[in-house]
Amino acid sequence: MGQKINPIGLRLGINRTWESRWYANTSEYGDLLHQDLAIRAFLTAELKAASVARIIIERPHKKCRVTIHTARPGVIIGKKGADIEGLRKKIANLTQSELHLNIVEVRKPELDGQLVAESIAQQL
């Protein structure tokens, strides 16, 4: 009988890294985890049309760095960067630390599994 495993957990040490990269003491771990979940839920709901592949959250000392990998960065940035400032303010309300927001373009969206799955679901 075969054993069922999580495909992300299997690949973590080999060819994949964690989606959140930070360390916290036990007293603040729960709060930071809930902040991460809230940020991810907010961004996936807010950026439905932007084809978001991954959201990576890093927390160096007293800061929060959010990196959004997307196939369409122009949808997030907007005209002359107007939309990104509004998005940065909304995300900053979810966390108590200083926020840095990075937008990274996915060069070949046809090779990303998340984007291919969203494309197929949208076509159906």
Side-chain angles (χ1 to χ4, degrees), residues 61-78:
H61 184 68
K62 306 271 185 182
K63 294 179 182 159
C64 181
R65 185 180 312 133
V66 178
T67 306
I68 302 171
H69 293 266
T70 180
R72 293 187 242 161
V75 174
I76 298 174
I77 296 170

Side-chain angles (χ1 to χ4, degrees), residues 11-83:
R11 292 175 177 88
L12 268 178
I14 303 165
N15 61 1
R16 196 173 170 133
T17 61
W18 296 96
E19 295 292 317
S20 294
R21 299 182 195 133
W22 49 269
Y23 175 80
N25 295 327
T26 56
S27 61
E28 58 189 19
Y29 182 83
D31 295 332
L32 293 178
L33 181 64
H34 283 293
Q35 285 178 14
D36 278 12
L37 293 174
I39 289 170
R40 286 180 201 284
F42 172 75
L43 287 175
T44 53
E46 187 79 14
L47 305 174
K48 263 290 187 226
S51 299
V52 175
R54 282 190 313 256
I55 300 170
I56 298 174
I57 300 173
E58 299 173 345
R59 292 184 187 265
H61 184 68
K62 306 271 185 182
K63 294 179 182 159
C64 181
R65 185 180 312 133
V66 178
T67 306
I68 302 171
H69 293 266
T70 180
R72 293 187 242 161
V75 174
I76 298 174
I77 296 170
K79 296 248 183 197
K80 298 181 182 176
D83 292 345

